[in-house]
Amino acid sequence: MRARLVTLSLCLTVLLVLPSQANEKPTPEYQKAMKDLGAVNNHLRNALKDIDFATIEKDAAAMKAIFTTVLAYWQDKKVEDAIKLSQDGIKAATELEAAAKAQNHPGVVTAQAAIAGSSSSGEIGAIGVCAPCHTAHRVRLPDGTYEIK
């Protein structure tokens, strides 16, 4: 009986001492960055359809700034896969900007696919950086908002 009590006490102590990993609300800056990234990406898709290189270049520059905010968030949390995805997003946005400056349509399509996962024409590209990060680190709540896993 005494051994069971000691074992039970140890188990309870371990459960109480171990940190629980609960979901958390992202910072307002991160939430804004995600909303802005979605808006810029939608705008970019329309610019791709119109082959508007000047707009694509501006959207790419905006994406670089947004991914820099996202990178800082994940670096603060020390989440390696999200850090890598954010860095990949910055790299792809940089390539997108360069391709738009050069008026290189195939390069623009490839760079956009590296960010979002497919081209505006529906061609399947790379997996992208958005979906893997959302799958790994985001949970949708019943009210339609999101928390970070």
Side-chain angles (χ1 to χ4, degrees):
M1 179 72 171
R2 185 175 171 157
R4 291 178 92 186
L5 185 58
V6 169
T7 303
L8 181 60
S9 295
L10 283 171
C11 289
L12 286 174
T13 301
V14 168
L15 288 174
L16 293 174
V17 171
L18 288 176
S20 64
Q21 291 196 352
N23 295 334
E24 63 184 51
K25 284 283 186 195
T27 64
E29 296 81 16
Y30 186 82
Q31 290 178 31
K32 181 180 182 321
M34 287 291 104
K35 288 176 184 173
D36 290 349
L37 190 57
V40 170
N41 194 50
N42 286 336
H43 190 256
L44 173 63
R45 286 186 179 142
N46 289 330
L48 280 168
K49 288 177 188 173
D50 297 337
I51 311 176
D52 181 350
F53 290 113
T55 299
I56 294 167
E57 189 177 336
K58 288 177 190 173
D59 288 344
M63 285 183 154
K64 281 194 313 188
I66 295 166
F67 275 120
T68 300
T69 299
V70 171
L71 176 61
Y73 176 86
W74 290 114
Q75 285 174 327
D76 184 53
K77 298 207 165 292
K78 297 175 177 45
V79 180
E80 293 302 319
D81 67 321
I83 290 170
K84 173 78 169 88
L85 289 166
S86 301
Q87 291 168 333
D88 290 348
I90 292 169
K91 180 178 180 263
T94 301
E95 292 169 356
L96 178 64
E97 187 176 31
K101 277 183 185 177
Q103 297 190 357
N104 174 357
H105 188 263
V108 165
V109 171
T110 299
Q112 191 271 341
I115 295 167
S118 65
S119 70
S120 63
S121 63
E123 298 170 41
I124 301 301
I127 293 173
V129 297
C130 298
C133 197
H134 289 183
T135 300
H137 300 291
R138 180 175 88 154
V139 62
R140 186 181 176 112
L141 302 177
D143 67 359
T145 62
Y146 293 93
E147 287 184 344
I148 302 296
K149 295 183 201 179

